[in-house]
Amino acid sequence: MKKIFYLLFIISLVSCCKEPPSTPCTNCPPEVDSNNINLSILIDLSDRIDPKTNPNPTMEYYLRDVEYIKAIEKGFINHIKSKKIITYDDQMQVFFNPEPSDPKINDFTKELKVSFNKDIQKSYFDSVDKKYAELPLNIYQSAIKDGKFVGSDIWEFFKNKVNDYCIKQDKRNILFILTDGYMYHENTKFAEGSKNSYLTTKLIKANNLTGSNFKEVIEKNVYGFVKANENLSNLEVIVLGINPEKGNPFEEAVIKEYWENWFKEMKIKKYQIKSADLPSNLEPIILKTISEK
């Protein structure tokens, strides 16, 4: 009788120790599949691309941009082809801020928004290659011909658009920014304390960031960009094309310091900031970045 009692007692203890069945989480964010990419390209169409304002006899800056975009598309397509067709769930798009006044450029942008799913045809790859081989050059040529360089409002893009345009909760989100590193737009120019929504060579000089002690000066005076977003931890950012004005040997390092501190404030964990190097030098970096998970 005692044996039966002890057996029942042990069974009851085991039953009590079992974990209750798990219930599905209704408020949890969707699980991220790092093998599915949501890739965005933000292009700065300010006068940095103008061959008359910023000439470069080796290779014009707008042509470098075009080749960067081709390398980005190549990396994206390589990623797609490395997957099984049934797992295709990736997209790539191009943005400007503000949108150019030329409707042709906006039409080109629509063409450059591409999505891959398990139902696509093999010919779709060729059509995407063709679009990215031709349309980016058309965009830059149209912008240069138009000549209305209104700047690029990168700060406002991060404040009001990056969450909606560049982030999918269930995907790996990558944003490439093609810019010279100076941030300025007439509609978004303000200061909060010692921080600004913009960065120009004039501001760098005014803040006395022209010596080797620029980091100490930045830290002491709390210089930098005004924080534009609270938490972008699910976004990777790669800035291509940093191109400082001549005259200050520390200008490029100052620009990169501003951007790095800004990204850290917005909780961006993975970022790269690259100079306006020749595309042949940057392509391996671009391909490697996209292929990493």
Side-chain angles (χ1 to χ4, degrees), residues 37-88:
I37 289 181
N38 174 45
L39 192 153
S40 305
I41 305 171
L42 176 62
I43 300 176
D44 174 354
L45 286 181
S46 63
D47 61 1
R48 73 178 186 93
I49 67 170
D50 185 9
K52 293 180 181 178
T53 306
N54 294 298
N56 190 305
T58 305
M59 187 178 192
E60 297 292 1
Y61 292 111
Y62 80 94
L63 293 175
R64 297 179 190 226
D65 274 17
V66 169
E67 294 302 316
Y68 297 159
I69 293 170
K70 287 181 182 177
I72 294 168
E73 187 263 347
K74 179 180 178 181
F76 179 75
I77 294 297
N78 287 348
H79 160 75
I80 301 293
K81 290 182 175 179
S82 71
K83 300 167 60 175
K84 294 180 179 178
I85 295 176
I86 197 170
T87 65
Y88 286 2

Side-chain angles (χ1 to χ4, degrees), residues 203-231:
L203 180 65
I204 290 173
K205 290 175 183 175
N207 288 345
N208 296 314
L209 300 173
T210 55
S212 60
N213 66 333
F214 68 88
K215 282 193 178 185
E216 289 83 358
V217 176
I218 288 174
E219 186 175 345
K220 179 181 177 181
N221 295 282
V222 199
Y223 290 142
F225 290 125
V226 176
K227 184 168 67 171
N229 210 303
E230 291 299 323
N231 186 356

Side-chain angles (χ1 to χ4, degrees), residues 49-259:
I49 67 170
D50 185 9
K52 293 180 181 178
T53 306
N54 294 298
N56 190 305
T58 305
M59 187 178 192
E60 297 292 1
Y61 292 111
Y62 80 94
L63 293 175
R64 297 179 190 226
D65 274 17
V66 169
E67 294 302 316
Y68 297 159
I69 293 170
K70 287 181 182 177
I72 294 168
E73 187 263 347
K74 179 180 178 181
F76 179 75
I77 294 297
N78 287 348
H79 160 75
I80 301 293
K81 290 182 175 179
S82 71
K83 300 167 60 175
K84 294 180 179 178
I85 295 176
I86 197 170
T87 65
Y88 286 2
D89 187 13
D90 307 77
Q91 66 183 57
M92 178 169 58
Q93 53 269 319
V94 173
F95 297 110
F96 311 100
N97 197 49
E99 292 183 350
S101 57
D102 186 349
K104 287 189 300 183
I105 295 180
N106 294 316
D107 288 340
F108 293 152
T109 308
K110 292 175 185 176
E111 288 291 312
L112 292 172
K113 184 169 185 176
V114 297
S115 298
F116 285 79
N117 57 52
K118 61 183 177 60
D119 298 320
I120 64 140
Q121 302 297 315
K122 190 176 180 181
S123 59
Y124 189 62
F125 284 94
D126 294 332
S127 70
V128 171
D129 284 337
K130 189 173 188 297
K131 288 176 182 178
Y132 273 83
E134 298 175 359
L135 297 183
L137 180 59
N138 292 341
I139 287 172
Y140 283 93
Q141 288 175 335
S142 295
I144 293 168
K145 184 179 179 181
D146 182 53
K148 296 176 181 177
F149 303 110
V150 295
S152 182
D153 203 344
I154 296 172
W155 191 92
E156 193 271 340
F157 186 85
F158 270 82
K159 175 66 176 175
N160 298 319
K161 298 176 181 177
V162 75
N163 292 83
D164 292 333
Y165 292 3
C166 305
I167 296 177
K168 303 288 184 185
Q169 294 300 329
D170 60 340
K171 291 180 173 60
R172 179 186 172 207
N173 301 291
I174 308 173
L175 170 62
F176 284 90
I177 304 175
L178 276 53
T179 180
D180 58 6
Y182 296 105
M183 198 185 296
Y184 180 85
H185 193 272
E186 57 187 10
N187 294 335
T188 313
K189 184 185 176 184
F190 67 93
E192 284 187 1
S194 58
K195 295 192 174 183
N196 302 85
S197 63
Y198 62 96
L199 181 64
T200 61
T201 190
K202 185 178 179 180
L203 180 65
I204 290 173
K205 290 175 183 175
N207 288 345
N208 296 314
L209 300 173
T210 55
S212 60
N213 66 333
F214 68 88
K215 282 193 178 185
E216 289 83 358
V217 176
I218 288 174
E219 186 175 345
K220 179 181 177 181
N221 295 282
V222 199
Y223 290 142
F225 290 125
V226 176
K227 184 168 67 171
N229 210 303
E230 291 299 323
N231 186 356
L232 297 176
S233 57
N234 55 350
L235 180 68
E236 300 173 35
V237 182
I238 303 92
V239 182
L240 302 175
I242 300 299
N243 186 26
E245 290 194 17
K246 303 295 186 288
N248 175 9
F250 303 101
E251 188 110 348
E252 181 171 348
V254 170
I255 292 171
K256 290 182 177 180
E257 186 75 8
Y258 262 67
W259 280 83

